[in-house]
Amino acid sequence: MKVQTIMADLERKHPGESEYLQAVQEVLESIEEVYNLHPEFEKAKIVERMVEPDRIFTFRVTWVDDRGEIQTNIGYRIQFNSAIGPYKGGIRFHKAVNVSMLKFLGFEQTFKNALTTLPMGGAKGGSDFDPVGKSDAEIMRFCQAFMWELWNNIGPDTDVPAGDVGVGGREIGYMYGMYKKLAREYNTGVLTGKGINWGGSLIRPEATGFGALYFVEHMLAKAGKSIKGATVAISGFGNVAWGAATKATELGATVVAISGPDGVVYNPNGMTQEKLDYMLALRASNRNIVAPFAEKFTDATFIPNKKAWSIKCDIALPCAFQNELNGDDAAELLANGTWCAAEVSNMGCTPEAIATFQKAEILFAPGKAVNAGGVATSGLEMTQNAMHISWSAAEVDSKLHYIMESIHAACVKYGTQPDGYVNYVKGANIAGFMKVAQAMLEQGIV
Ligand code: GLU
């Protein structure tokens, strides 16, 4: 396999799909060496097959807004790879959603899900619907219209969507309600991230952020460091940022920054329970601004149009969107003494940022390893649904701990360099790839 040849071919076939091409390139560069040691992969054209989604559904979603006006959005579901289990992955509602974004996310999901140790294939879906400023009734009507098109292509044993940016418990509820009505099937396993009284799992709302911090703890322990007493900068203020801020605080770190599209909140005294609760209220307000946090808590300061990476911190945790931390941000963080960066968002760092961190040999780990606790706990939700039982919070949390520990171990196994530095990007990509590739090989040419 030659990365350049495959990339040139993909660029020709999928011009302008920048996020997708970026995600593929990162994986191919990581696995090239290992791949070329396996002529059976080359013979079965594993890479050429793996980089293309199994299928893409795209559909029109028409709904009526509160003023009685008709709105039309585009909906998508990308079933990327089913080698190790039913399609599994979130749904993103964001105005910038397009095929490239969802293909990158579905591709990443395939390897991430393989890392979780659970039998889940990779998928992603979403819409260019913008939830900002929408009323609850509008959100409901949109979710219903979206599911009206999607329901026939998903199911507990075929494809199990969940939340992502712009889709939380409320949206999953509206989509699940409509699914039941259309499918006349009352199997809760069709979606994950459900409410706790109707098939949801304890710890699922916290799982992405909690799992990320468990992963960071392992990284730090391996490097002889501790999170206790460290300062942490977090981007975003949604569900993932909230989970990360909650666990970081519990582990004795000081969360000195959270951010939004409008700027950053400098929070030198760290989080309190009241502040953490307010993050959820801010998200639920659908305004997508973080400034009110500093109006409510006077020990915090809002700095408009600045990123979280302008705040001095030991540990940087991108928790919002892809490519939210670029090469300049990475250089600024390093200059301010940051010694660990972990992507909690999917592909949160640009290739330049990753190269900057790795060149400085600081601790750095990619989203598909760090944030896998979210989808892993979705997998645990599916198990509970299939068994018609619910586990205690402690039981789910201990399973999440175990999963994050094994993901960390897999990264170390495949990513340790001769000088002892762990290249977590390489480790995660090779570990995920090997599992999916072996499964594809064993299942023949399909
Ligand atoms: N959207 C999350 C992710 O990127 C969760 C997906 C899921 O739970 O299926 O992994």
Side-chain angles (χ1 to χ4, degrees):
M1 186 238 316
K2 281 230 163 0
V3 176
Q4 272 170 334
T5 318
I6 295 188
M7 286 314 299
D9 195 39
L10 282 182
E11 276 159 30
R12 186 181 51 76
K13 278 197 266 190
H14 309 292
E17 295 190 3
S18 60
E19 294 99 339
Y20 162 68
L21 295 168
Q22 178 187 337
V24 172
Q25 176 144 5
E26 183 207 283
V27 169
L28 296 191
E29 280 172 358
S30 297
I31 62 154
E32 187 173 17
E33 217 179 287
V34 175
Y35 192 85
N36 289 334
L37 296 173
H38 289 267
E40 70 277 19
F41 288 164
E42 181 81 46
K43 192 160 173 266
K45 295 272 187 285
I46 294 291
V47 156
E48 288 81 348
R49 290 157 60 198
M50 198 184 262
V51 296
E52 291 294 343
D54 288 355
R55 63 194 67 83
I56 301 180
F57 298 109
T58 156
F59 44 90
R60 173 175 55 77
V61 184
T62 294
W63 56 286
V64 181
D65 70 17
D66 285 349
R67 292 166 302 165
E69 274 184 35
I70 296 163
Q71 302 288 345
T72 290
N73 290 98
I74 313 171
Y76 307 90
R77 183 70 181 167
I78 302 193
Q79 297 181 335
F80 218 103
N81 188 298
S82 64
I84 64 167
Y87 300 106
K88 180 82 195 88
I91 289 181
R92 177 174 290 194
F93 291 165
H94 188 280
K95 59 177 190 269
V97 160
N98 57 26
V99 174
S100 166
M101 196 191 293
L102 297 180
K103 274 171 70 180
F104 120 63
L105 288 162
F107 182 73
E108 294 266 308
Q109 197 81 42
T110 302
F111 301 101
K112 182 196 314 196
N113 294 4
L115 286 171
T116 64
T117 72
L118 303 173
M120 299 183 289
K124 204 83 189 191
S127 174
D128 62 350
F129 170 74
D130 182 5
V132 178
K134 299 292 187 298
S135 71
D136 192 66
E138 288 175 323
I139 301 264
M140 182 179 76
R141 287 197 295 275
F142 177 78
C143 289
Q144 291 176 336
F146 183 85
M147 189 50 81
W148 203 343
E149 276 296 326
L150 186 63
W151 73 275
N152 215 5
N153 295 310
I154 59 173
D157 297 313
T158 51
D159 183 354
V160 182
D164 196 80
V165 174
V167 177
R170 171 180 56 174
E171 291 76 13
I172 294 293
Y174 293 146
M175 286 193 265
Y176 180 62
M178 195 61 174
Y179 176 86
K180 279 196 311 180
K181 197 173 173 67
L182 294 164
R184 302 274 161 95
E185 266 177 21
Y186 308 94
N187 189 324
T188 51
V190 67
L191 290 165
T192 61
K194 297 180 293 293
I196 199 64
N197 294 324
W198 40 279
S201 174
L202 289 165
I203 305 292
R204 178 62 190 92
E206 295 89 346
T208 308
F210 279 24
L213 268 294
Y214 299 158
F215 189 95
V216 167
E217 272 193 299
H218 284 294
M219 273 174 99
L220 266 49
K222 170 132 184 49
K225 293 177 179 282
S226 162
I227 192 165
K228 207 167 179 330
T231 50
V232 177
I234 287 178
S235 62
F237 61 94
N239 172 263
V240 171
W242 163 77
T246 303
K247 191 49 89 176
T249 305
E250 201 183 302
L251 295 174
T254 307
V255 176
V256 291
I258 56 169
S259 68
D262 52 333
V264 62
V265 167
Y266 174 51
N267 184 47
N269 299 325
M271 290 292 173
T272 57
Q273 191 56 48
E274 206 192 341
K275 285 179 176 176
L276 291 166
D277 291 344
Y278 188 66
M279 283 174 80
L280 291 181
L282 255 188
R283 166 55 61 203
S285 73
N286 270 4
R287 289 165 64 208
N288 209 20
I289 49 171
V290 78
F293 189 97
E295 287 156 26
K296 187 164 166 68
F297 301 103
T298 49
D299 64 334
T301 316
F302 176 66
I303 311 164
N305 306 318
K306 281 277 181 194
K307 292 186 184 182
W309 324 128
S310 61
I311 306 294
K312 182 177 164 53
C313 64
D314 297 317
I315 301 173
L317 300 179
C319 290
F321 217 57
Q322 70 266 7
N323 292 329
E324 55 174 316
L325 195 164
N326 63 29
D328 292 342
D329 300 324
E332 188 172 3
L333 284 167
L334 287 182
N336 279 333
T338 298
W339 44 263
C340 173
E343 288 177 341
V344 193
S345 47
N346 291 310
M347 208 164 77
C349 296
T350 63
E352 295 73 32
I354 298 175
T356 305
F357 290 141
Q358 289 182 333
K359 190 154 170 259
E361 295 218 339
I362 69 155
L363 297 169
F364 173 77
K368 60 172 83 68
V370 177
N371 74 28
V375 72
T377 309
S378 278
L380 300 176
E381 184 173 329
M382 288 164 72
T383 307
Q384 293 169 78
N385 293 158
M387 294 165 78
H388 302 282
I389 57 167
S390 26
W391 292 326
S392 68
E395 188 157 3
V396 179
D397 199 36
S398 83
K399 287 183 164 61
L400 175 60
H401 263 289
Y402 168 77
I403 289 168
M404 298 317 295
E405 188 184 347
S406 43
I407 297 174
H408 181 264
C411 292
V412 171
K413 178 177 167 193
Y414 288 106
T416 305
Q417 296 182 166
D419 67 353
Y421 176 70
V422 184
N423 183 334
Y424 282 90
V425 176
K426 197 170 170 190
N429 285 335
I430 295 178
F433 169 81
M434 289 303 277
K435 191 168 170 187
V436 179
Q438 282 295 348
M440 287 176 70
L441 202 62
E442 284 160 23
Q443 290 170 25
I445 311 303
V446 287

